[in-house]
Amino acid sequence: MNDTTANESTAAPDAEDGRLGLDAPARALLERIPQSPGVYRMLDADGTVLYVGKAKNLKRRVSSYFSRALTRRLQVMVSQIADIEVTVTRTEGEALLLESNLIKSLRPRFNVLLRDDKSYPFIYLSTQDDFPRLAFYRGPRKSKGRLFGPYPSAWAVRETLQLLQKLFPVRQCEDSFFNNRSRPCLQYQIKRCSGPCVGLVSREEYAEDVAHTIQFLDGRAEEAIADLGRGMEQAAAALEFERAAVLRDQIATLSRIQQRQYVSGEGGDLDIIACAQAGGTSCVQVFFIRSGRNLGNKAFFPKTPDDTDDATLLAGFLAQFYADKQIPPELVVSVEPEERVLLETALSQRAERRVHIKWRVRAERARWLEMARGNAEVALKSRLGSQAGYGRRIEALRDALDLPERPQRMECFDISHTQGERTVASCVVFDGEGPRKSDYRRFNIEGITPGDDYAALHQALTRRYTRVKQGEYPIPDILFIDGGRGQIRSVGDALQELGIAGVQVVGISKGPDRRPGTELLWLLDVESPLILPSDSPAMHLVEQIRDEAHRFAITGHRQRRAKARTTSTLEGLAGIGPRRRQRLLKQFGGIRGLARAGVEDIACVDGIGRQLAQQIYDAFHEEAAGP
């Protein structure tokens, strides 16, 4: 941002008679704060950031906290302030952008906090290729090809890709697969691809399908329908009735999709954003409209301080949500956000074009905004209901384990491997609101006897809780382990070595008949297991946490195993470079076919002699017969 930064500190005064006075030493320190635009950070005695704010005039804004009557929330905040740091920026718009970035990274408790650390998926079309491919894409925007979106979820992208396969047979296979085909694949057989890999379609015909795909994704379905209609008439006139029937079906499908997915009377790109608040919980609903198409919607539940109104909530949400995302030219919101003009200026600066924020809309936009409000209210009610149920399960677990207070953080470890191969340990985290996925971690286990779950668990715990000791993560109240008495003893030893105390360790083992709901809970230094009824809310919570750890571990193990089985065997062999590896995989149709091949078959591949073929054969069969 190329700002000039200046850090100043001041001690906060005490509150007197319901108003916050300002003593002489504090006033002298406040006078050192410049009358410039910038960002201020309020810190407590431990150096934890309580609040991040921005101001057009830093001195005036910061001084106002100590010279006027404040709400109860601000009184509580100011009473905890020990220091104030400021960063000077060139403009108030820069200050707003810096503020949103600091809020996302520092997560101060008195700010509106948006938990949304994921990028959004797009549909990618490799227009630079002779035969372009469609693909799911998530990540930074590429210079080559085209991106369509963003979509609110991976499911929405995959549904659209599946639909496009039925409409226009544009390939969706990887380039490595496409470049090594000698005969058409199954997608061609089921009419989901036109077979460009083996020359079954001309470039001109393929380009027509690509053009129609772009028209559809650009929101120009009427043009695609018109083109298909002309093609159908030409095919019928040439007595090509089979092709005419295919085009007729495409037109019918496109017409149905248009009725279902397009916003009537709308065009262009916009997001529709509505909020709802109740029971100390906030919900913001976002509808993504691109090229007149409704790509779907997503609900967010930002953390908000008490007494936060809708205008403040939306201002905080918009600044953080669009800090690292594509911004459409128009945002339609349910209420005018706080400091709307400044927000428009900052977002326009980020997008490098004009961005409008509108809240007084009519006709179709008003109907869509009302639908967004309704969705926000429905999602909020569902969230409040699930939170109430989750809260009851936590209280039941507290009673079952006889804990002095309600657990605020729970972690669970699980181990996954296939006969000792590529062992992966998972750690999942649940807090007072449910799964905290940003804190999930996986550990690739190395240097142990294959299949030794105790050693794997000890290694994962040591790596995790060394970082806990260093202050990177808080110490959990409960540590769950998928295992019985032996596993929790191993856990106890690992925690003792690290000097970590005060954690309730709970092992979860299968019951005598191994049915769900009959699990036994083992506590450290307690000989007999704890048996809870199968309908116990506490047991339901334990099963949820254990199952999530198992899912996370087995997913990581499968990914690691698949990667190792497809790459490591050939890549680790001397004399096998990219070209020879490509010839081998093409000849045998993949790694599995190569693993089944004999020495003589391998030696027949161009560039592979008898001696190298023997080395390849031995590598696969030694690995298969490994420990």
Side-chain angles (χ1 to χ4, degrees), residues 11-201:
D14 296 327
E16 297 178 359
D17 299 327
R19 294 177 65 86
L20 295 165
L22 185 63
D23 55 23
R27 187 180 298 111
L29 289 173
L30 283 174
E31 288 176 357
R32 295 169 53 188
I33 296 178
Q35 297 190 29
S36 306
V39 173
Y40 57 92
R41 297 177 292 281
M42 297 180 168
L43 290 74
D44 64 15
D46 296 326
T48 303
V49 178
L50 298 170
Y51 182 78
V52 173
K54 53 94 183 59
K56 185 176 183 179
N57 185 312
L58 281 168
K59 181 178 180 180
R60 185 183 306 157
R61 178 61 173 158
V62 173
S63 299
S64 70
Y65 286 95
F66 307 102
S67 59
R68 63 184 174 87
L70 302 173
T71 64
R72 176 60 184 164
R73 174 177 68 85
L74 291 178
Q75 288 182 31
V76 171
M77 181 187 75
V78 173
S79 68
Q80 300 177 33
I81 296 173
D83 289 294
I84 298 176
E85 297 177 348
V86 301
T87 301
V88 175
T89 60
R90 293 175 300 187
T91 65
E92 193 180 4
E94 282 188 353
L96 179 62
L97 296 176
L98 177 59
E99 177 198 36
S100 63
N101 288 331
L102 289 175
I103 290 171
K104 292 189 78 170
S105 61
L106 299 175
R107 307 194 63 78
R109 57 174 294 204
F110 287 97
N111 283 100
V112 173
L113 301 179
L114 173 62
R115 292 176 65 170
D116 178 41
D117 54 356
K118 292 184 178 178
S119 60
Y120 285 82
F122 290 78
I123 288 178
Y124 171 67
L125 180 65
S126 61
T127 51
Q128 72 277 10
D129 294 337
D130 292 336
F131 293 100
R133 65 181 286 258
L134 281 169
F136 176 102
Y137 180 78
R138 192 197 296 270
R141 297 178 68 86
K142 291 185 174 182
S143 57
K144 294 182 178 180
R146 285 195 60 180
L147 291 175
F148 302 89
Y151 287 77
S153 66
W155 176 85
V157 173
R158 294 189 178 103
E159 182 187 41
T160 304
L161 287 173
Q162 188 176 35
L163 182 64
L164 285 169
Q165 266 194 325
K166 298 175 183 177
L167 278 171
F168 312 115
V170 174
R171 73 180 180 95
Q172 297 185 16
C173 58
E174 296 285 347
D175 288 340
S176 57
F177 183 85
F178 175 80
N179 293 330
N180 291 293
R181 296 299 301 176
S182 57
R183 59 179 183 273
C185 66
L186 178 62
Q187 294 300 315
Y188 173 81
Q189 305 295 336
I190 61 175
K191 302 185 186 304
R192 296 289 184 267
C193 180
S194 53
C197 55
V198 289
L200 296 179
V201 61

Side-chain angles (χ1 to χ4, degrees), residues 113-418:
L113 301 179
L114 173 62
R115 292 176 65 170
D116 178 41
D117 54 356
K118 292 184 178 178
S119 60
Y120 285 82
F122 290 78
I123 288 178
Y124 171 67
L125 180 65
S126 61
T127 51
Q128 72 277 10
D129 294 337
D130 292 336
F131 293 100
R133 65 181 286 258
L134 281 169
F136 176 102
Y137 180 78
R138 192 197 296 270
R141 297 178 68 86
K142 291 185 174 182
S143 57
K144 294 182 178 180
R146 285 195 60 180
L147 291 175
F148 302 89
Y151 287 77
S153 66
W155 176 85
V157 173
R158 294 189 178 103
E159 182 187 41
T160 304
L161 287 173
Q162 188 176 35
L163 182 64
L164 285 169
Q165 266 194 325
K166 298 175 183 177
L167 278 171
F168 312 115
V170 174
R171 73 180 180 95
Q172 297 185 16
C173 58
E174 296 285 347
D175 288 340
S176 57
F177 183 85
F178 175 80
N179 293 330
N180 291 293
R181 296 299 301 176
S182 57
R183 59 179 183 273
C185 66
L186 178 62
Q187 294 300 315
Y188 173 81
Q189 305 295 336
I190 61 175
K191 302 185 186 304
R192 296 289 184 267
C193 180
S194 53
C197 55
V198 289
L200 296 179
V201 61
S202 67
R203 287 189 182 181
E204 292 74 19
E205 291 175 317
Y206 192 86
E208 287 183 14
D209 286 330
V210 171
H212 292 148
T213 298
I214 293 174
Q215 288 173 337
F216 174 80
L217 292 173
D218 270 343
R220 296 180 287 123
E222 295 87 352
E223 295 180 23
I225 290 173
D227 288 347
L228 293 170
R230 286 190 290 271
M232 181 179 67
E233 292 173 0
Q234 292 171 2
L239 304 181
E240 297 176 356
F241 298 116
E242 186 174 343
R243 174 166 173 74
V246 170
L247 295 173
R248 177 203 62 200
D249 294 342
Q250 286 180 326
I251 292 170
T253 304
L254 263 180
S255 299
R256 288 196 301 270
I257 294 168
Q258 189 180 18
Q259 293 170 6
R260 187 176 74 246
Q261 291 194 350
Y262 283 71
V263 183
S264 176
E266 294 291 347
D269 297 347
L270 67 149
D271 285 349
I272 300 171
I273 305 154
C275 66
Q277 298 192 77
T281 302
S282 303
C283 176
V284 178
Q285 189 81 210
V286 182
F287 277 74
F288 301 87
I289 311 297
R290 296 295 180 271
S291 302
R293 292 182 60 232
N294 174 20
L295 301 187
N297 60 298
K298 187 174 179 65
F300 302 88
F301 299 92
K303 286 186 177 180
T304 55
D306 296 336
D307 305 323
T308 301
D309 58 24
D310 288 356
T312 304
L313 167 62
L314 274 185
F317 175 86
L318 294 174
Q320 293 178 59
F321 183 71
Y322 292 109
D324 55 358
K325 294 180 179 65
Q326 185 181 24
I327 308 172
E330 184 177 342
L331 305 177
V332 178
V333 296
S334 54
V335 297
E336 182 181 12
E338 192 177 64
E339 298 182 306
R340 174 186 58 83
V341 175
L342 173 61
L343 195 55
E344 280 186 332
T345 302
L347 293 178
S348 299
Q349 180 182 335
R350 266 215 67 247
E352 298 181 347
R353 54 173 163 68
R354 191 77 174 106
V355 175
H356 298 276
I357 299 177
K358 300 180 180 179
W359 71 102
R360 292 175 180 154
V361 291
R362 295 179 296 177
E364 197 66 32
R365 279 173 167 76
R367 286 190 286 273
W368 275 88
L369 187 55
E370 190 58 36
M371 188 173 76
R373 283 196 187 99
N375 276 268
E377 291 170 359
V378 169
L380 181 61
K381 289 178 182 178
S382 176
R383 176 82 164 196
L384 290 172
S386 64
Q387 281 185 340
Y390 182 75
R392 286 194 297 270
R393 293 196 292 273
I394 289 183
E395 286 295 337
L397 181 63
R398 172 189 174 181
D399 293 339
L401 299 179
D402 196 23
L403 300 176
E405 57 186 24
R406 177 174 173 155
Q408 298 299 315
R409 185 180 178 93
M410 299 168 284
E411 297 187 356
C412 184
F413 284 76
D414 191 21
I415 306 296
S416 180
H417 57 80
T418 302

Side-chain angles (χ1 to χ4, degrees), residues 481-495:
I481 301 297
D482 189 10
R485 187 181 301 169
Q487 278 85 355
I488 65 168
R489 285 176 181 167
S490 178
V491 171
D493 293 341
L495 296 181

Side-chain angles (χ1 to χ4, degrees), residues 503-515:
V503 179
Q504 176 69 67
V505 180
V506 180
I508 312 164
S509 67
K510 299 289 187 183
D513 53 4
R514 304 184 67 80
R515 286 188 298 108

